Structure formats: C-alpha cells, structure tokens
Amino acid sequence: MKKWINGLLLGMLFLTFLAGCSSKVSEDDLKENDWSIEPDEEDVPNMIASFSDHVMTLKVDVESIESTATDEWEQMGEDFAKELASEMDFKFEYTLDGDQITLQDTENEDESNDFEVSEEDDNIIFTPTDDSDEDVETITLQPYENEKE
C-alpha cells in the first residue's frame, strides 16, 4: 500500500512538472515587458519590441549602437543618425493562436510570417514555421533592461 501511494504521489509530481513546462505564451506574457532583440549580424543594431493587444512595435535600440567617430564632426553625424533612428518604428499586426503567432506588416499586406512561440527561461522564442524562406530567422525576445535607468 505504501509503495502504491508513493507511486501515485510521484506520478502526480511528474504530471505537475510536465504541465509547468508546457505553459503557452499568452498576450499578457508578450505585453508584460519591452523586449530586446539582438540580431545575428554584428553591424545591425538591437531592436526593442513592445506589444499591445494586437500590434507589435519595433524600434531601433540606439543605446546599443557603438560610436566609431574619430572627431567631433563624425560624432555630430552619428548623433544626428541616432536621433533619426530613434524616431523610426515598424508596426506589425499579430495574431496569437495557441503556440503559433502570425506577424503581418501593417504597411505591406502581402508580407506576413508565421512563427512557433515558446518560452525559455525569461525569454520568448519565435521560430519560423516556413523553412523555405531563408530571410526569416528565429527571433529571441529578451526582457529589455534600459541601461540609462
């Protein structure tokens, strides 16, 4: 009898563990933070993603751009470019259905991408579902921490 109860408790613990690991990403999870996206390419600045009820907004993380200026004129040019970049944002309508998210470009209705959504530690991972489009990469959303604060 004691072995049976221990087995039952162990089974319940295992099911609880599996249920905890298979949690789905919700809209509230996406809206909870601003998210940092670090691209694979070295010369490309990080992006900051934020989510509302159905819109994902991407902005350039100008704080992640390192200066290469060698004099004050180049520094002025970089500062001007950073100011312009900080004013740009890109909007995508998103639809979250279970573990699938579709991102639709608001300015080009022909452009949409589907991703599988998963959680890894504090990060959210968007994995492309269509392997045939080589331009679409896996996106890792990490909670954004503003370095100025």
Side-chain angles (χ1 to χ4, degrees):
M1 182 73 167
K2 196 173 189 180
K3 285 184 180 181
W4 184 78
I5 292 174
N6 285 342
L8 182 63
L9 289 174
L10 187 60
M12 288 176 55
L13 181 65
F14 181 70
L15 288 175
T16 302
F17 175 74
L18 284 179
C21 291
S22 64
S23 65
K24 293 190 178 186
V25 175
S26 68
E27 282 188 19
D28 289 336
D29 294 330
L30 295 172
K31 294 188 290 186
E32 183 177 356
N33 296 308
D34 283 342
W35 301 93
S36 177
I37 302 171
E38 296 178 7
D40 293 334
E41 296 87 28
E42 237 179 80
D43 295 342
V44 178
N46 295 352
M47 301 295 282
I48 300 171
S50 58
F51 291 83
S52 68
D53 287 329
H54 65 282
V55 176
M56 177 178 93
T57 304
L58 288 176
K59 292 183 172 242
V60 176
D61 182 4
V62 294
E63 299 299 319
S64 71
I65 302 172
E66 293 184 22
S67 177
T68 58
T70 58
D71 61 33
E72 66 183 55
W73 288 102
E74 286 181 5
Q75 187 63 51
M76 284 175 40
E78 281 186 3
D79 291 344
F80 180 70
K82 283 182 179 182
E83 184 66 32
L84 285 177
S86 71
E87 298 297 322
M88 295 187 329
D89 61 358
F90 308 94
K91 295 194 182 291
F92 297 88
E93 295 273 342
Y94 74 89
T95 307
L96 185 61
D97 185 22
D99 66 346
Q100 301 286 319
I101 191 167
T102 301
L103 300 178
Q104 173 74 47
D105 188 341
T106 59
E107 294 186 18
N108 184 354
E109 302 218 358
D110 295 332
E111 289 291 321
S112 73
N113 293 300
D114 295 318
F115 297 89
E116 183 177 318
V117 181
S118 61
E119 227 173 341
E120 185 177 296
D121 298 325
D122 291 339
N123 301 334
I124 296 177
I125 314 295
F126 290 0
T127 306
T129 58
D130 184 8
D131 293 335
S132 64
D133 191 352
E134 295 174 4
D135 292 336
V136 181
E137 299 176 358
T138 297
I139 301 170
T140 302
L141 303 174
Q142 301 171 334
Y144 177 71
E145 297 175 14
N146 191 346
E147 295 172 3
K148 283 189 170 182
E149 292 178 0

